[in-house]
Amino acid sequence: MSEHEYTPKSKAGKWFNDRLPLLTLGAHLTDYPTPKNLNYWWTFGGILTFCLITQIVTGIVLAMHYVAHADLAFASVEHIMRDVNYGWLIRYIHSNGASMFFLAVYIHIFRSLFYGSYKSPREVIWIIGLLIYLLMMAAAFMGYVLPWGQMSFWGATVITNLFSAIPLVGDSITTWLWGAYSVDNPTLNRFFSLHYLIPFLILGLVVLHIWALHVPGNNNPVGIDIKKPSKDTVPFHPYITIKDAFALLVFMIIFAGFVFFTPNVLGHSDNYIPANPLVTPAHIVPEWYLLPFYAILRSVPDKLGGVILMFSAIFILFVLPWLDTSKVRSAVFRPIYRQFFWILVIDVLMLGYVGAMPAEGIYLVLARVGTIYYFLHFIVVMPVVGYLEKTDPIPMSISEPVLTGVAEPSIARKVNDKI
Amino acid sequence: MSKEEKKVNRRDFLFTASYTVGAVGIGAVIWPMIDQMNPDKAQQALATTEVDISSIEPGKSITVLWRGKPVFLKRRTPEEIAEARAVNLDDLPDPQKDEERVKEGKDEWLVMLGVCTHLGCVPLKDKGDYNGWFCPCHGSHYDVSGRIRKGPAPTNMEIPKFEFVDNNTIKIG
Ligand code: HEM
Ligand code: FES
């Protein structure tokens, strides 16, 4: 990874480092040369790490008071809210923490889409990131089942029933997932076990994600390859750590705003009604962060088709590095793609909105249009635009626009051409 | 030369044999790990439920829980039965005669899983465009016989195994 050799100053440090080079790793992480033009969209990696740690710490505390049994789970969560010292705080941090985690991950993903961070040589970073995202969805879904309210129960029923769409073996798979003939106590038990496990799997993937990142180094807003270390880079510490810390503080203020002022606004009030297998709530909706996929699922009038399309919406992202034919990474220099990028953002937001609305009338039409556009963006727009688009000239280095005194990089290149 | 060839063959055999034994061993360990997640004996023991139906008036229905799932027991009026039987089978996404969904001679009793065949919600009674059930989750409409007519659900609501123990009791399962 790092090109330079590191020798600890103290004798004890050297002794230890020769046996386990942890200090070398530490030095690599502090000195790690980072592009000096990273903007605030790059601070979400650090924020995501914070979110994961927060979920693990608050989750372990909740697990000390929570009882994973169909007859006791709901009461135990109320017990956490009313009796356990600061239980309300810890639970609200955990439940809102899940939402904040997804907010951060969506910004992080769209950052990668805009600046072409998924492209060569960073495909593996991108794919590991998507695996983390998949596990996050699984963790959050199972976590939402644990309080055993009406939304927990019916959310679990609807999502596990997605697997019953698989031809031939579908029903056996759902029964196997449930450990019963419906969502029941065995289901709750195993979901708790897996909900506890998955965050630690995510932690392992985060290590791989960062390892893979440190091989080519960070992408940056102009998206060009840079020499490392060079005039274009700064050491990670203190330059990036302080920027990350500031962004994290702002993020925490928003987070605290939810926790202390509107702790239930992102949840659903039906989940304060104990699970009842005889009555389905009138409007079942998943948590907000799953709504776009829910809209895609409902936009298809066929069961298997809807399920396939919903999963494809996620899996298509895995082949994105190979669907994008453009040689230029950053959308800053891609005038056409840039517009399609924003259309995609609006499309996904709209899908999220109609996912929360009843699947009828105008909402159904919008869901269908949105779904078609979503796939068109990746299957048609990405390859075709990348091929046809005339990109703006890109600078030779990050420093160039600064040193030539011209802010607009494309102009900088014209100046250069004259030289 | 021939000696060397023989040696290679022997090694190939050993490799293949050990891989095979290894694979069987791994399979033998993995299967219990997978099968433990299937419904256990306690779950399977809950397999039957007896229901007293003497107090259900014609046109009314009750819902009971069987294996964690709701079961609708509906005592249909002669008009409802007639309506169910008048439907043209070509109009049905999952064609099935009403007669096949009830016990002969007990035509007024419709006993079916109250589970939408789309994604498992409980449909609401006396709702929807077909005078039967309507599933609020993603909008599936069922008729008086519990057959799917419109919406994303692929099949009719399921008829569980059941029998009449006597005139007043139904055993489900
Ligand atoms: C990726 C990280 C995690 C995410 C996204 C996540 C998400 C969630 C969500 C959405 C809920 C439902 C909150 C509610 O409405 O009440 C929940 C509940 C719960 N989680 Fe987590 N969680 C994570 C990590 C953990 C960990 C590591 C543990 C345990 C060690 C844990 C233990 C619990 C417990 C006991 C509950 C039930 C109590 C409650 O509902 O508040 N979680 N989780
Ligand atoms: S579960 Fe009934 S329509 Fe989807």
Side-chain angles (χ1 to χ4, degrees), chain A residues 154 157-158 161-162 164 172 175-182 184 186 190 277-282 284 294 297-298 301 303, chain B residues 34-40 43-44 63-65 67-70 117-124 136-138 151-152 154:
Chain A
W154 291 103
T157 300
V158 167
N161 263 308
L162 292 177
S164 73
S172 324
T175 308
W176 176 75
L177 287 174
W178 291 333
Y181 300 100
S182 63
D184 210 330
R190 63 192 54 180
L278 292 178
V279 184
T280 309
I284 54 165
Y294 196 56
L297 169 77
R298 296 193 308 181
K303 179 170 167 180
Chain B
I34 293 176
D35 192 39
Q36 53 81 23
M37 280 177 63
N38 273 318
D40 56 31
Q43 288 291 334
Q44 290 170 3
T63 307
V64 297
L65 208 58
R67 284 170 148 194
K69 280 180 174 153
T117 56
H118 182 225
L119 296 174
C121 293
V122 181
L124 304 167
C137 288
H138 318 95

Side-chain angles (χ1 to χ4, degrees), chain A residues 138-139 142 189-199 201, chain B residues 37:
Chain A
M142 296 196 203
N189 247 299
R190 63 192 54 180
F191 276 18
F192 181 50
S193 171
L194 296 174
H195 183 68
Y196 209 134
L197 166 72
I198 291 174
L201 298 182
Chain B
M37 280 177 63

Side-chain angles (χ1 to χ4, degrees), chain A residues 51-52 55-64 66 77 80 91 94-95 97-98 101-102 135-136 139-147 192 195-196 198-200 202 271 287 289:
Chain A
C51 289
L52 179 61
Q55 292 307 98
I56 290 180
V57 172
T58 52
I60 289 174
V61 174
L62 286 171
M64 294 179 185
Y66 171 79
V77 172
I80 291 172
R91 172 161 182 255
H94 196 77
S95 56
F101 203 163
F102 277 94
L135 285 182
M136 275 174 65
F141 158 64
M142 296 196 203
Y144 197 58
V145 175
L146 300 183
F192 181 50
H195 183 68
Y196 209 134
I198 291 174
F200 294 93
I202 296 180
N271 221 23
E287 293 276 82
Y289 37 79

Side-chain angles (χ1 to χ4, degrees), chain A residues 89-103:
Chain A
L89 177 63
I90 295 157
R91 172 161 182 255
Y92 279 154
I93 293 177
H94 196 77
S95 56
N96 285 285
S99 283
M100 296 307 286
F101 203 163
F102 277 94
L103 177 68

